[in-house]
Amino acid sequence: MGKYRGADALAASLVAEGVKRVFTLSGNHVMPVFDAAIDAGIELIHVRHEGAAVHMADAWARLTGEVGVALVTGGPGHANAVGALYTAAMAESPVVLLSGHAPLNELGMAAFQELRQVEMVGPVTKAAGGCAKADDIGRDFTHAARVALSGRPGPVHLSLPADVLEATASPDAAKAAVGPGAAVAPTDRRPVSFDPLPFTAALSKATRPLILCGPSCMQRAGREVMAGLEAASGIPVIGMESPRGVADPSLGAFAQMLAQADCVLLVGKRIDFTLKFGRAFAETCEFLQVDPENAEHERSRRAVGDRLRITALSEAIAALEALTRAFRKPTTGGWREEVRVAIAYRPAEWERAVANAPGLLHPVQALRPLQAILDEHPDSVLVSDGGEFGQWAQACLNAPHRVINGVAGSIGAALPFALAARLAQPQAPVIAVMGDGTFGFHPAEIDTAVRYRLPFVAVVGNDARWNAEHQIQLRDYGRERLVGCELLPTRYDQVAAGFGGHGERVTTAEQLLPAARRAMGLNLPAVLNVMIEGLAAPNVRR
């Protein structure tokens, strides 16, 4: 056996933290980790773009509740990965990005792909640092993973200099205790034993109370805890993770209910643009807040002043569980049902929706039939990404597991999300809905799906334009000022076939569901290229 390296200590610490799979793209700086992964039994999912590796780690984390790990090379590889971290950060997804780095003994000498990586990634991570010694690498990763999962979950970065990965490490390096010398900043874990009784008392006195939860509660396990609290309290418990905020089409006519609320408890939910900085509520509405960060309490006070009555520090899920235990009996009255009816509301005219031109489908025609597939398995996954078409998907479809582009509002992650979803749920249907613009970000990941035998069905709404921006131009500047949003009506189905997957072009409503079922039966990554009418996202109002 050769020497025990920093890379071996890193691989051992990954295994010790329960990480069995790493999303990665090869590069000079990280070859020692690739080598060490063989003996450690870590599966490397080798992708086509560093951003896709981060997106896959993000979706894995959201679907499993585990830390998702991406491994990329230094310099340009690291730079390619950084943008995807923003989506993970805004989704409050526990991701660790491991990036190779120029050797420490060459820094300042114009080393190959030398880059100030930690400084670059700081704005989109909870914490970032660089490994300095082979004997510290196990402790550094362990701490990074725990920071990612604690408090408000989110991404953490660790740079791995090539000479540290190759240096000799102690066989006990992976077992080193996490301490104040760890490369990343201290964890922000907050106590979970706050007193829930002042919160339950205030909510019970209200006539129209609401409990709003942030993105970290929106994975399946979190939604089950939210449902338990609603049952125990009789108060509507609503999660928010959409960039459309109060206009989130999946929440129906909920915006009208927000305006009527008289007491709102925020659990891990920021008063930000998604709530119109507090203006979504009546001026008399009072607020309570449980959050792992004091900074969020301060932000809320700036937004709503002394209407923020009670605050506490706690992680969101733990707070929901404590509140559930504290409620002795649910409140009565019609408010809860009124809110649920509003959320379920969809315009009656959707039942008759058809496109205005032959050879095209209305978005409702392209999406609603897919619900039959999602209803056939208790672990079905809906991935939704893109501008207007993605919003139609969120209005029309639901599934036990849902992964969307999130509060970041950035597009392009749907195909990597779908691959991670298949790995997380090997037997369940995975339906990934995206616009044609979104498809163009990571089409080569169909190659990854074919190599790793990861079947899914991608439904591409093809309106041959960047439709969200087209709609902005149309609304704000007029039809004669439309510019820079045109795309070709590309045969995305043939793109999928070129990578070894399956593809079909869909031009009528009658073709859609049979095409989706054929695609599922082939056990291949499949693309349904659905020609749609380019409509604005739904604005659901009663």
Side-chain angles (χ1 to χ4, degrees):
M1 179 178 176
K3 72 176 183 179
Y4 190 79
R5 303 159 296 179
D8 298 303
L10 173 63
S13 66
L14 285 161
V15 172
E17 286 298 303
V19 177
K20 301 180 180 67
R21 178 176 288 128
V22 171
F23 304 95
T24 186
L25 199 158
S26 59
N28 294 21
H29 295 124
V30 294
M31 287 299 90
V33 185
F34 273 51
D35 182 66
I38 297 172
D39 293 330
I42 295 170
E43 182 182 16
L44 300 178
I45 305 297
H46 186 239
V47 305
R48 295 291 300 270
H49 189 280
E50 289 88 356
V54 174
H55 286 315
M56 290 184 200
D58 175 8
W60 175 267
R62 292 198 233 175
L63 288 164
T64 66
E66 302 172 3
V67 67
V69 180
L71 171 68
V72 304
T73 196
H78 173 79
N80 280 345
V82 171
L85 285 175
Y86 181 67
T87 295
M90 297 302 287
E92 300 177 4
S93 181
V95 170
V96 174
L97 171 64
L98 301 173
S99 299
H101 192 279
L104 291 179
N105 61 14
E106 296 178 2
L107 295 186
M109 301 167 63
F112 175 61
Q113 296 184 343
E114 182 177 348
L115 184 67
R116 294 168 61 186
Q117 295 180 182
V118 172
E119 292 91 333
M120 173 182 282
V121 82
V124 289
T125 56
K126 289 180 67 177
C131 266
K133 295 188 295 184
D135 278 348
D136 291 345
I137 201 166
R139 177 194 63 181
D140 288 343
F141 173 75
T142 299
H143 193 56
R146 295 178 187 179
V147 170
L149 287 161
S150 69
R152 171 170 277 104
V156 174
H157 166 66
L158 193 60
S159 272
L160 308 170
D163 51 353
V164 174
L165 291 173
E166 289 283 17
T168 300
S170 163
D172 294 327
K175 302 175 184 178
V178 174
V184 297
T187 176
D188 63 355
R189 181 173 292 275
R190 296 298 185 183
V192 298
S193 57
F194 78 99
D195 183 3
L197 295 182
F199 295 89
T200 59
L203 290 166
S204 297
K205 290 177 183 176
T207 304
R208 297 179 300 280
L210 290 173
I211 300 174
L212 301 183
C213 301
S216 67
C217 301
M218 292 302 289
Q219 74 279 14
R220 186 177 188 177
R223 286 186 282 119
E224 289 172 354
V225 175
M226 290 164 56
L229 174 56
E230 180 164 322
S233 66
I235 296 169
V237 183
I238 313 299
M240 298 184 70
E241 62 173 343
S242 169
R244 303 285 172 128
V246 298
D248 177 0
S250 69
L251 294 179
F254 181 55
Q256 297 165 239
M257 298 295 101
L258 283 178
Q260 297 178 38
D262 59 355
C263 182
V264 174
L265 168 59
L266 305 162
V267 181
K269 176 72 189 88
R270 294 180 166 116
I271 297 185
D272 57 9
F273 74 97
T274 65
L275 292 175
K276 298 184 178 180
F277 309 105
R279 296 191 297 273
F281 305 94
E283 293 183 356
T284 55
C285 181
E286 296 187 347
F287 296 87
L288 322 169
Q289 188 170 32
V290 181
D291 199 276
E293 299 170 353
N294 268 319
E296 289 307 319
H297 298 157
E298 294 165 6
R299 188 203 306 269
S300 297
R301 287 191 183 94
R302 290 195 298 271
V304 300
D306 60 7
R307 288 189 290 149
L308 181 62
R309 301 297 192 190
I310 311 172
T311 65
L313 291 170
S314 175
E315 294 170 319
I317 297 299
L320 295 175
E321 292 170 339
L323 288 161
T324 302
R325 293 189 295 269
F327 275 100
R328 295 289 177 256
K329 61 179 182 179
T331 59
T332 57
W335 171 246
R336 176 185 174 190
E337 179 63 19
E338 190 177 346
V339 171
R340 284 297 165 190
V341 168
I343 290 173
Y345 173 77
R346 300 295 184 271
E349 55 265 29
W350 287 15
E351 301 296 332
R352 305 179 298 276
V354 294
N356 292 314
L360 301 177
L361 279 70
H362 188 285
V364 170
Q365 294 177 291
L367 294 164
R368 275 198 168 170
L370 300 170
Q371 189 63 50
I373 294 174
L374 293 170
D375 287 342
E376 291 171 355
H377 197 284
D379 291 313
S380 293
V381 183
L382 170 65
V383 173
S384 177
D385 185 15
E388 310 306 87
F389 191 57
Q391 299 305 308
W392 281 102
Q394 291 165 45
C396 292
L397 301 172
N398 61 80
H401 295 282
R402 187 181 86 151
V403 186
I404 70 171
N405 56 347
V407 180
S410 53
I411 67 170
L415 286 171
F417 279 176
L419 272 68
R422 170 54 65 222
L423 288 163
Q425 294 294 338
Q427 306 302 323
V430 176
I431 303 290
V433 178
M434 67 201 77
D436 47 352
T438 290
F439 183 89
F441 279 81
H442 291 293
E445 298 312 329
I446 295 173
D447 168 272
T448 306
V450 171
R451 282 185 285 114
Y452 287 97
R453 297 182 179 144
L454 303 175
F456 59 88
V457 177
V459 179
V460 180
N462 190 342
D463 54 16
R465 65 189 183 214
W466 298 101
N467 192 31
E469 290 69 30
H470 173 94
Q471 296 296 334
I472 292 171
Q473 291 180 345
L474 192 63
R475 181 186 68 240
D476 294 350
Y477 311 124
R479 186 170 298 278
E480 70 283 358
R481 307 285 295 177
L482 295 172
V483 63
C485 295
E486 311 84 9
L487 298 173
L488 294 173
T490 301
R491 292 294 301 270
Y492 299 109
D493 51 315
Q494 294 180 355
V495 173
F499 279 114
H502 170 74
E504 293 191 39
R505 187 170 183 261
V506 175
T507 59
T508 69
E510 293 73 23
Q511 294 173 330
L512 184 80
L513 190 56
R517 293 202 179 279
R518 274 193 301 275
M520 292 182 62
L522 294 171
N523 206 34
L524 287 169
V527 171
L528 303 185
N529 184 23
V530 184
M531 307 308 294
I532 63 167
E533 185 175 17
L535 300 178
N539 188 359
V540 183
R541 292 181 179 176
R542 290 186 292 182

PDB file of all heavy atoms in Angstrom, residues 12 68 84 294 316 356 371 386 419 440 446 465 467 471 477 497 509:
ATOM      1  N   ALA A  12     -12.019   9.355   3.356  1.00  0.00           N
ATOM      2  CA  ALA A  12     -12.462   8.689   4.583  1.00  0.00           C
ATOM      3  C   ALA A  12     -13.438   9.561   5.360  1.00  0.00           C
ATOM      4  O   ALA A  12     -14.411   9.052   5.945  1.00  0.00           O
ATOM      5  CB  ALA A  12     -11.251   8.336   5.447  1.00  0.00           C
ATOM      6  N   GLY A  68     -25.276  17.475   0.107  1.00  0.00           N
ATOM      7  CA  GLY A  68     -24.911  17.141  -1.265  1.00  0.00           C
ATOM      8  C   GLY A  68     -23.501  17.635  -1.543  1.00  0.00           C
ATOM      9  O   GLY A  68     -23.173  18.776  -1.190  1.00  0.00           O
ATOM     10  N   ALA A  84     -23.998  28.246  -9.886  1.00  0.00           N
ATOM     11  CA  ALA A  84     -25.012  27.293  -9.428  1.00  0.00           C
ATOM     12  C   ALA A  84     -25.191  27.343  -7.919  1.00  0.00           C
ATOM     13  O   ALA A  84     -26.249  26.959  -7.399  1.00  0.00           O
ATOM     14  CB  ALA A  84     -24.638  25.882  -9.872  1.00  0.00           C
ATOM     15  N   ASN A 294     -30.208  36.202  13.998  1.00  0.00           N
ATOM     16  CA  ASN A 294     -30.651  37.501  14.510  1.00  0.00           C
ATOM     17  C   ASN A 294     -30.808  38.529  13.399  1.00  0.00           C
ATOM     18  O   ASN A 294     -31.654  39.429  13.478  1.00  0.00           O
ATOM     19  CB  ASN A 294     -29.646  38.020  15.546  1.00  0.00           C
ATOM     20  CG  ASN A 294     -30.017  37.614  16.959  1.00  0.00           C
ATOM     21  OD1 ASN A 294     -31.190  37.649  17.334  1.00  0.00           O
ATOM     22  ND2 ASN A 294     -29.022  37.219  17.744  1.00  0.00           N
ATOM     23  N   ALA A 316     -35.577  25.916  11.796  1.00  0.00           N
ATOM     24  CA  ALA A 316     -36.993  25.931  11.412  1.00  0.00           C
ATOM     25  C   ALA A 316     -37.722  24.638  11.737  1.00  0.00           C
ATOM     26  O   ALA A 316     -38.810  24.665  12.340  1.00  0.00           O
ATOM     27  CB  ALA A 316     -37.107  26.249   9.920  1.00  0.00           C
ATOM     28  N   ASN A 356     -54.428  28.942 -29.633  1.00  0.00           N
ATOM     29  CA  ASN A 356     -55.088  29.747 -30.664  1.00  0.00           C
ATOM     30  C   ASN A 356     -54.558  29.477 -32.062  1.00  0.00           C
ATOM     31  O   ASN A 356     -54.973  30.142 -33.000  1.00  0.00           O
ATOM     32  CB  ASN A 356     -54.922  31.238 -30.335  1.00  0.00           C
ATOM     33  CG  ASN A 356     -55.707  31.634 -29.098  1.00  0.00           C
ATOM     34  OD1 ASN A 356     -56.873  31.271 -28.959  1.00  0.00           O
ATOM     35  ND2 ASN A 356     -55.059  32.345 -28.183  1.00  0.00           N
ATOM     36  N   GLN A 371     -50.327  14.686 -14.676  1.00  0.00           N
ATOM     37  CA  GLN A 371     -50.667  14.413 -13.281  1.00  0.00           C
ATOM     38  C   GLN A 371     -51.008  12.942 -13.077  1.00  0.00           C
ATOM     39  O   GLN A 371     -50.750  12.381 -12.000  1.00  0.00           O
ATOM     40  CB  GLN A 371     -51.824  15.298 -12.833  1.00  0.00           C
ATOM     41  CG  GLN A 371     -52.097  15.237 -11.332  1.00  0.00           C
ATOM     42  CD  GLN A 371     -50.924  15.749 -10.498  1.00  0.00           C
ATOM     43  OE1 GLN A 371     -50.402  16.831 -10.749  1.00  0.00           O
ATOM     44  NE2 GLN A 371     -50.504  14.965  -9.518  1.00  0.00           N
ATOM     45  N   GLY A 386     -37.656  27.103 -15.316  1.00  0.00           N
ATOM     46  CA  GLY A 386     -37.958  27.954 -16.460  1.00  0.00           C
ATOM     47  C   GLY A 386     -38.834  29.117 -16.053  1.00  0.00           C
ATOM     48  O   GLY A 386     -39.284  29.219 -14.910  1.00  0.00           O
ATOM     49  N   LEU A 419     -31.527  14.258 -13.052  1.00  0.00           N
ATOM     50  CA  LEU A 419     -30.594  13.151 -12.847  1.00  0.00           C
ATOM     51  C   LEU A 419     -30.447  12.839 -11.365  1.00  0.00           C
ATOM     52  O   LEU A 419     -30.463  11.669 -10.953  1.00  0.00           O
ATOM     53  CB  LEU A 419     -29.226  13.491 -13.443  1.00  0.00           C
ATOM     54  CG  LEU A 419     -29.008  13.141 -14.913  1.00  0.00           C
ATOM     55  CD1 LEU A 419     -29.869  14.012 -15.819  1.00  0.00           C
ATOM     56  CD2 LEU A 419     -27.531  13.312 -15.287  1.00  0.00           C
ATOM     57  N   GLY A 440     -31.437  24.624 -22.966  1.00  0.00           N
ATOM     58  CA  GLY A 440     -30.162  24.951 -23.587  1.00  0.00           C
ATOM     59  C   GLY A 440     -28.988  25.089 -22.640  1.00  0.00           C
ATOM     60  O   GLY A 440     -27.838  25.084 -23.071  1.00  0.00           O
ATOM     61  N   ILE A 446     -27.712  14.922 -20.753  1.00  0.00           N
ATOM     62  CA  ILE A 446     -28.380  13.720 -21.266  1.00  0.00           C
ATOM     63  C   ILE A 446     -27.330  12.633 -21.490  1.00  0.00           C
ATOM     64  O   ILE A 446     -27.581  11.445 -21.258  1.00  0.00           O
ATOM     65  CB  ILE A 446     -29.168  14.037 -22.542  1.00  0.00           C
ATOM     66  CG1 ILE A 446     -30.308  15.001 -22.203  1.00  0.00           C
ATOM     67  CG2 ILE A 446     -29.737  12.759 -23.162  1.00  0.00           C
ATOM     68  CD1 ILE A 446     -31.048  15.527 -23.408  1.00  0.00           C
ATOM     69  N   ARG A 465     -38.697  31.066 -27.824  1.00  0.00           N
ATOM     70  CA  ARG A 465     -38.278  32.380 -27.320  1.00  0.00           C
ATOM     71  C   ARG A 465     -38.016  32.315 -25.814  1.00  0.00           C
ATOM     72  O   ARG A 465     -38.431  31.384 -25.123  1.00  0.00           O
ATOM     73  CB  ARG A 465     -39.332  33.438 -27.622  1.00  0.00           C
ATOM     74  CG  ARG A 465     -40.678  33.260 -26.933  1.00  0.00           C
ATOM     75  CD  ARG A 465     -41.676  34.253 -27.497  1.00  0.00           C
ATOM     76  NE  ARG A 465     -42.969  34.208 -26.841  1.00  0.00           N
ATOM     77  CZ  ARG A 465     -44.117  34.423 -27.471  1.00  0.00           C
ATOM     78  NH1 ARG A 465     -44.123  34.690 -28.765  1.00  0.00           N
ATOM     79  NH2 ARG A 465     -45.261  34.394 -26.816  1.00  0.00           N
ATOM     80  N   ASN A 467     -39.462  33.502 -23.120  1.00  0.00           N
ATOM     81  CA  ASN A 467     -40.809  34.046 -23.039  1.00  0.00           C
ATOM     82  C   ASN A 467     -41.013  34.976 -21.847  1.00  0.00           C
ATOM     83  O   ASN A 467     -41.795  35.928 -21.933  1.00  0.00           O
ATOM     84  CB  ASN A 467     -41.835  32.908 -22.994  1.00  0.00           C
ATOM     85  CG  ASN A 467     -43.253  33.411 -23.212  1.00  0.00           C
ATOM     86  OD1 ASN A 467     -43.467  34.397 -23.928  1.00  0.00           O
ATOM     87  ND2 ASN A 467     -44.206  32.749 -22.601  1.00  0.00           N
ATOM     88  N   GLN A 471     -42.458  38.637 -22.483  1.00  0.00           N
ATOM     89  CA  GLN A 471     -43.683  39.163 -21.872  1.00  0.00           C
ATOM     90  C   GLN A 471     -43.430  40.504 -21.193  1.00  0.00           C
ATOM     91  O   GLN A 471     -44.287  41.390 -21.212  1.00  0.00           O
ATOM     92  CB  GLN A 471     -44.240  38.142 -20.870  1.00  0.00           C
ATOM     93  CG  GLN A 471     -44.685  36.831 -21.495  1.00  0.00           C
ATOM     94  CD  GLN A 471     -45.845  36.972 -22.459  1.00  0.00           C
ATOM     95  OE1 GLN A 471     -46.646  37.906 -22.364  1.00  0.00           O
ATOM     96  NE2 GLN A 471     -45.938  36.061 -23.420  1.00  0.00           N
ATOM     97  N   TYR A 477     -43.026  47.836 -23.003  1.00  0.00           N
ATOM     98  CA  TYR A 477     -42.511  48.646 -24.102  1.00  0.00           C
ATOM     99  C   TYR A 477     -43.337  48.557 -25.381  1.00  0.00           C
ATOM    100  O   TYR A 477     -43.216  49.418 -26.255  1.00  0.00           O
ATOM    101  CB  TYR A 477     -41.060  48.245 -24.426  1.00  0.00           C
ATOM    102  CG  TYR A 477     -40.183  48.170 -23.198  1.00  0.00           C
ATOM    103  CD1 TYR A 477     -39.489  47.015 -22.891  1.00  0.00           C
ATOM    104  CD2 TYR A 477     -40.058  49.259 -22.332  1.00  0.00           C
ATOM    105  CE1 TYR A 477     -38.689  46.936 -21.756  1.00  0.00           C
ATOM    106  CE2 TYR A 477     -39.265  49.186 -21.205  1.00  0.00           C
ATOM    107  CZ  TYR A 477     -38.583  48.019 -20.918  1.00  0.00           C
ATOM    108  OH  TYR A 477     -37.797  47.947 -19.802  1.00  0.00           O
ATOM    109  N   ALA A 497     -31.984  12.277 -28.770  1.00  0.00           N
ATOM    110  CA  ALA A 497     -31.639  11.057 -29.498  1.00  0.00           C
ATOM    111  C   ALA A 497     -30.158  11.039 -29.872  1.00  0.00           C
ATOM    112  O   ALA A 497     -29.510   9.991 -29.841  1.00  0.00           O
ATOM    113  CB  ALA A 497     -32.509  10.935 -30.746  1.00  0.00           C
ATOM    114  N   ALA A 509     -52.680  17.785 -28.278  1.00  0.00           N
ATOM    115  CA  ALA A 509     -52.944  17.369 -26.905  1.00  0.00           C
ATOM    116  C   ALA A 509     -53.102  15.859 -26.807  1.00  0.00           C
ATOM    117  O   ALA A 509     -52.709  15.247 -25.809  1.00  0.00           O
ATOM    118  CB  ALA A 509     -54.193  18.082 -26.386  1.00  0.00           C
TER     119      ALA A 509
END
